Amino acid sequence: QARRAIALNGNSAMAHFSYAHILSDLGRHDQEIAEISRARELDPVFLLTCALEGMFLHHAGRDVEARAKLQRTLELDPDFWVTHLILGRVLTQQKQYTEAINELARARELSHGNSEAIGSTGYALAKEGKTAEARGVLKELMTLSGEHYIPPYNVALVHAGLGEQEETLQWLMRACVQRDVRITLLKVDPRLNGMRSAPGFDELLKRVRLK
């Protein structure tokens, strides 16, 4: 559908944006970056496109470029929480944990408590070796789940950071069953790199048609 939308209107920024997202989820990084760059050229001030260009570069393993893109996006609007969220993810991958957690805290504040920011914080804390604090984040997510819906993927992230493969896979399976939209990141999210060889992970990729 995205390709058809581009064929019908090659100057539609949203069509290129949508196609880029699909390509990214499939791991077709060169094509995805070309498409998201085209979307940004067509609509250079749409913050979500700018932020997700950073995310797609991050998924392609190009974290230096991703960080630069995200910092420029913050110059457009320092209060766009999605940019802080993705920058926090990039900084975590670069093992700059203090800066990462600060960015994720800002994302949480600006989004009024987005659970992806919370789960990403738990992952960063776990990778930094702050196991007790990471488990505290898990407890917080469980408490919040009694108040409102918490996407399972965000819980899986913390278990992944703690190196708990069985628990991670269980929560990813819940994400699949509940059609958590974040499950589309299964193939490319670097936070799941430790799961790639885990028993059952390939089956999960096949289940969501990413393999």
Side-chain angles (χ1 to χ4, degrees), residues 146-191:
E147 302 170 7
H148 56 79
Y149 176 71
I150 297 295
Y153 192 92
N154 298 334
V155 180
L157 290 176
V158 188
H159 286 294
L162 291 165
E164 298 172 346
Q165 290 190 343
E166 185 176 341
E167 291 84 351
T168 303
L169 196 62
Q170 288 173 355
W171 282 95
L172 290 174
M173 185 60 72
R174 289 192 196 186
C176 180
V177 170
Q178 294 180 19
R179 298 183 180 273
D180 179 353
V181 66
R182 293 157 191 81
I183 202 69
T184 63
L185 303 178
L186 197 62
K187 187 175 183 177
V188 293
D189 190 339
R191 293 172 294 186

Coordinates of all heavy atoms in Angstrom, one line a residue, residues 146-191:
G146 N -1.6 -2.4 36.7 CA -2.8 -2.5 37.4 C -3.7 -1.3 37.3 O -4.9 -1.3 37.6
E147 N -3.1 -0.2 36.7 CA -3.8 1.0 36.5 C -4.2 1.3 35.1 O -5.3 1.9 34.8 CB -3.0 2.2 37.0 CG -2.5 2.1 38.5 CD -1.5 3.1 38.9 OE1 -1.2 4.0 38.0 OE2 -1.0 3.0 40.0
H148 N -3.4 0.9 34.2 CA -3.7 1.0 32.7 C -2.8 0.1 31.9 O -1.9 -0.6 32.5 CB -3.4 2.5 32.3 CG -2.0 3.0 32.6 ND1 -0.9 2.7 31.8 CD2 -1.5 3.8 33.6 CE1 0.2 3.2 32.3 NE2 -0.2 3.9 33.4
Y149 N -3.1 0.0 30.7 CA -2.4 -1.0 29.8 C -0.9 -0.6 29.7 O -0.5 0.6 29.4 CB -3.0 -1.0 28.4 CG -2.3 -1.8 27.4 CD1 -2.3 -3.2 27.5 CD2 -1.6 -1.3 26.3 CE1 -1.7 -4.0 26.6 CE2 -0.9 -2.1 25.4 CZ -1.0 -3.5 25.5 OH -0.3 -4.3 24.7
I150 N 0.0 -1.6 29.9 CA 1.4 -1.4 29.6 C 1.8 -2.4 28.5 O 1.6 -3.6 28.6 CB 2.2 -1.8 30.9 CG1 1.9 -0.8 32.0 CG2 3.7 -1.8 30.6 CD1 2.3 0.6 31.8
P151 N 2.3 -1.9 27.4 CA 2.7 -2.8 26.3 C 3.7 -3.8 26.8 O 4.7 -3.4 27.4 CB 3.3 -1.8 25.3 CG 2.6 -0.5 25.6 CD 2.5 -0.5 27.0
P152 N 3.5 -5.1 26.5 CA 4.4 -6.1 26.9 C 5.9 -5.9 26.5 O 6.8 -6.3 27.1 CB 3.8 -7.4 26.4 CG 2.4 -7.1 26.2 CD 2.3 -5.7 25.8
Y153 N 6.0 -5.3 25.3 CA 7.4 -5.1 24.7 C 8.2 -4.3 25.7 O 9.4 -4.6 25.8 CB 7.3 -4.4 23.4 CG 8.5 -4.4 22.6 CD1 8.8 -5.4 21.6 CD2 9.4 -3.4 22.7 CE1 10.0 -5.4 20.9 CE2 10.6 -3.3 21.9 CZ 10.9 -4.3 21.0 OH 12.0 -4.3 20.3
N154 N 7.6 -3.3 26.4 CA 8.4 -2.5 27.3 C 8.8 -3.2 28.5 O 9.9 -2.8 29.1 CB 7.5 -1.2 27.6 CG 7.2 -0.4 26.4 OD1 7.9 -0.4 25.4 ND2 6.1 0.3 26.5
V155 N 8.1 -4.2 28.9 CA 8.5 -5.1 30.0 C 9.6 -6.0 29.5 O 10.6 -6.2 30.2 CB 7.4 -5.9 30.6 CG1 7.8 -6.8 31.7 CG2 6.2 -5.0 31.0
A156 N 9.5 -6.5 28.3 CA 10.5 -7.4 27.8 C 11.9 -6.7 27.7 O 12.9 -7.4 27.9 CB 10.1 -7.9 26.4
L157 N 11.9 -5.4 27.4 CA 13.1 -4.7 27.3 C 14.0 -4.8 28.6 O 15.2 -5.0 28.5 CB 12.9 -3.2 27.0 CG 12.3 -2.9 25.6 CD1 12.1 -1.4 25.5 CD2 13.3 -3.3 24.5
V158 N 13.3 -4.7 29.7 CA 14.0 -4.7 31.0 C 14.6 -6.1 31.2 O 15.8 -6.2 31.6 CB 13.1 -4.3 32.2 CG1 14.0 -4.1 33.4 CG2 12.4 -3.0 31.9
H159 N 13.8 -7.1 31.0 CA 14.3 -8.5 31.1 C 15.5 -8.7 30.1 O 16.5 -9.4 30.5 CB 13.2 -9.5 30.8 CG 12.2 -9.6 32.0 ND1 12.6 -10.1 33.2 CD2 10.9 -9.3 32.0 CE1 11.5 -10.1 34.0 NE2 10.5 -9.6 33.3
A160 N 15.4 -8.2 28.9 CA 16.5 -8.3 28.0 C 17.8 -7.7 28.5 O 18.9 -8.2 28.4 CB 16.1 -7.7 26.6
G161 N 17.7 -6.5 29.1 CA 18.8 -5.8 29.7 C 19.4 -6.6 30.8 O 20.7 -6.6 31.0
L162 N 18.6 -7.4 31.6 CA 19.1 -8.2 32.7 C 19.6 -9.5 32.2 O 20.1 -10.3 33.0 CB 17.9 -8.4 33.7 CG 17.5 -7.2 34.5 CD1 16.1 -7.4 35.1 CD2 18.5 -6.8 35.5
G163 N 19.5 -9.8 30.9 CA 20.0 -11.0 30.3 C 19.1 -12.2 30.6 O 19.6 -13.4 30.5
E164 N 17.9 -12.0 30.9 CA 16.9 -13.0 31.2 C 16.2 -13.5 30.0 O 15.1 -13.0 29.7 CB 16.0 -12.6 32.3 CG 16.8 -12.2 33.6 CD 15.9 -11.5 34.7 OE1 14.8 -11.1 34.3 OE2 16.4 -11.5 35.8
Q165 N 16.7 -14.4 29.2 CA 16.2 -14.8 27.9 C 14.8 -15.4 28.0 O 13.9 -15.0 27.2 CB 17.2 -15.7 27.2 CG 18.5 -15.1 26.8 CD 19.3 -16.0 25.9 OE1 19.0 -17.2 25.8 NE2 20.2 -15.4 25.2
E166 N 14.6 -16.3 28.9 CA 13.3 -16.9 29.0 C 12.2 -15.9 29.3 O 11.1 -15.9 28.6 CB 13.3 -18.0 30.1 CG 12.0 -18.8 30.2 CD 12.1 -19.9 31.2 OE1 13.2 -20.3 31.6 OE2 11.0 -20.4 31.6
E167 N 12.4 -15.0 30.3 CA 11.4 -14.0 30.6 C 11.2 -13.0 29.4 O 10.1 -12.6 29.2 CB 11.8 -13.3 31.9 CG 11.8 -14.1 33.1 CD 13.0 -14.9 33.4 OE1 13.9 -15.0 32.4 OE2 13.2 -15.5 34.5
T168 N 12.3 -12.7 28.8 CA 12.2 -11.8 27.6 C 11.3 -12.4 26.6 O 10.4 -11.7 26.0 CB 13.6 -11.5 27.0 OG1 14.4 -10.9 28.1 CG2 13.5 -10.5 25.9
L169 N 11.6 -13.6 26.3 CA 10.8 -14.3 25.2 C 9.3 -14.4 25.6 O 8.4 -14.2 24.7 CB 11.4 -15.7 24.9 CG 10.9 -16.4 23.6 CD1 11.3 -15.6 22.4 CD2 11.5 -17.8 23.6
Q170 N 9.0 -14.7 26.9 CA 7.7 -14.8 27.3 C 6.9 -13.4 27.1 O 5.8 -13.4 26.6 CB 7.6 -15.2 28.8 CG 8.0 -16.6 29.1 CD 8.1 -16.9 30.6 OE1 8.0 -16.0 31.4 NE2 8.3 -18.2 30.9
W171 N 7.6 -12.4 27.4 CA 6.9 -11.0 27.3 C 6.8 -10.6 25.8 O 5.9 -10.0 25.4 CB 7.7 -10.0 28.1 CG 7.3 -10.1 29.6 CD1 8.0 -10.7 30.6 CD2 6.1 -9.5 30.2 NE1 7.3 -10.6 31.7 CE2 6.2 -9.9 31.5 CE3 5.1 -8.8 29.7 CZ2 5.2 -9.5 32.4 CZ3 4.1 -8.4 30.6 CH2 4.1 -8.7 31.9
L172 N 7.8 -11.0 25.0 CA 7.7 -10.8 23.6 C 6.6 -11.6 23.0 O 5.9 -11.1 22.1 CB 9.0 -11.1 22.9 CG 10.2 -10.2 23.2 CD1 11.5 -10.7 22.5 CD2 9.9 -8.7 22.7
M173 N 6.4 -12.8 23.4 CA 5.2 -13.6 23.0 C 3.9 -12.9 23.3 O 3.0 -12.8 22.5 CB 5.3 -15.0 23.5 CG 4.2 -15.9 23.0 SD 4.4 -16.1 21.2 CE 5.8 -17.1 21.0
R174 N 3.9 -12.4 24.5 CA 2.7 -11.6 24.9 C 2.4 -10.4 24.0 O 1.3 -10.1 23.6 CB 2.8 -11.1 26.4 CG 2.7 -12.2 27.4 CD 2.5 -11.6 28.8 NE 2.8 -12.5 29.9 CZ 2.6 -12.2 31.2 NH1 2.2 -11.1 31.5 NH2 2.9 -13.1 32.1
A175 N 3.5 -9.8 23.7 CA 3.4 -8.6 22.8 C 2.9 -9.0 21.4 O 2.1 -8.3 20.8 CB 4.8 -8.0 22.6
C176 N 3.3 -10.2 21.0 CA 2.8 -10.7 19.7 C 1.3 -11.0 19.8 O 0.5 -10.6 18.9 CB 3.6 -11.9 19.3 SG 3.1 -12.7 17.8
V177 N 0.9 -11.7 20.8 CA -0.5 -12.1 21.0 C -1.4 -10.9 21.2 O -2.5 -10.8 20.6 CB -0.6 -13.0 22.3 CG1 -2.1 -13.3 22.6 CG2 0.1 -14.4 22.0
Q178 N -0.9 -9.9 21.9 CA -1.7 -8.7 22.1 C -1.6 -7.7 21.0 O -2.1 -6.6 21.1 CB -1.3 -8.0 23.5 CG -1.6 -8.9 24.7 CD -1.2 -8.3 26.0 OE1 -1.0 -7.0 26.0 NE2 -1.1 -9.1 27.0
R179 N -0.8 -8.0 20.0 CA -0.6 -7.1 18.8 C 0.0 -5.8 19.2 O -0.4 -4.7 18.7 CB -1.9 -6.9 18.0 CG -2.5 -8.2 17.4 CD -3.7 -8.0 16.6 NE -4.2 -9.3 16.1 CZ -3.8 -9.8 14.9 NH1 -2.8 -9.2 14.2 NH2 -4.3 -11.0 14.5
D180 N 0.9 -5.8 20.1 CA 1.7 -4.7 20.5 C 2.4 -4.2 19.3 O 3.3 -4.9 18.7 CB 2.6 -5.0 21.7 CG 3.5 -3.9 22.1 OD1 3.5 -2.8 21.5 OD2 4.2 -4.1 23.2
V181 N 2.2 -3.0 18.9 CA 2.8 -2.5 17.6 C 4.3 -2.5 17.7 O 5.0 -2.6 16.6 CB 2.3 -1.0 17.3 CG1 2.8 0.0 18.4 CG2 2.7 -0.6 15.9
R182 N 4.9 -2.5 18.9 CA 6.4 -2.5 19.0 C 7.0 -3.8 18.6 O 8.2 -3.9 18.3 CB 6.8 -2.1 20.4 CG 6.4 -0.7 20.8 CD 6.3 -0.5 22.3 NE 5.7 0.8 22.6 CZ 4.4 1.0 22.6 NH1 3.5 0.1 22.3 NH2 3.9 2.2 22.9
I183 N 6.2 -4.8 18.4 CA 6.7 -6.1 18.1 C 7.3 -6.1 16.6 O 8.1 -6.9 16.3 CB 5.6 -7.2 18.2 CG1 6.3 -8.6 18.3 CG2 4.7 -7.2 17.0 CD1 7.0 -8.9 19.6
T184 N 6.9 -5.1 15.9 CA 7.5 -5.0 14.5 C 8.9 -4.6 14.5 O 9.6 -4.7 13.5 CB 6.7 -3.9 13.7 OG1 6.9 -2.6 14.3 CG2 5.2 -4.2 13.6
L185 N 9.5 -4.2 15.7 CA 10.9 -3.9 15.8 C 11.7 -5.1 16.2 O 13.0 -5.0 16.3 CB 11.1 -2.8 16.9 CG 10.3 -1.5 16.8 CD1 10.6 -0.6 18.0 CD2 10.7 -0.8 15.5
L186 N 11.1 -6.2 16.2 CA 11.8 -7.4 16.7 C 13.1 -7.8 16.0 O 14.0 -8.2 16.6 CB 10.8 -8.6 16.6 CG 11.0 -9.9 17.4 CD1 11.0 -9.6 18.8 CD2 10.0 -10.9 17.0
K187 N 13.1 -7.5 14.7 CA 14.2 -7.9 13.9 C 15.4 -6.9 14.0 O 16.6 -7.3 13.8 CB 13.8 -8.1 12.4 CG 14.9 -8.6 11.5 CD 14.3 -8.9 10.1 CE 15.3 -9.5 9.2 NZ 14.8 -9.8 7.9
V188 N 15.1 -5.7 14.3 CA 16.1 -4.6 14.2 C 16.5 -3.9 15.5 O 17.5 -3.2 15.5 CB 15.7 -3.6 13.1 CG1 15.6 -4.2 11.7 CG2 14.3 -3.0 13.5
D189 N 15.7 -4.1 16.5 CA 16.0 -3.4 17.8 C 17.3 -3.9 18.4 O 17.3 -5.1 18.8 CB 14.9 -3.5 18.8 CG 15.0 -2.7 20.0 OD1 16.1 -2.2 20.3 OD2 13.9 -2.4 20.7
P190 N 18.4 -3.1 18.5 CA 19.6 -3.7 19.0 C 19.6 -4.1 20.4 O 20.4 -4.9 20.9 CB 20.6 -2.5 18.8 CG 19.8 -1.3 18.7 CD 18.5 -1.7 18.0
R191 N 18.6 -3.7 21.2 CA 18.4 -4.1 22.6 C 18.1 -5.6 22.6 O 18.2 -6.2 23.7 CB 17.4 -3.3 23.3 CG 17.8 -1.8 23.4 CD 16.7 -0.9 23.9 NE 15.6 -0.8 23.0 CZ 14.5 0.0 23.1 NH1 14.4 0.7 24.2 NH2 13.6 0.0 22.2

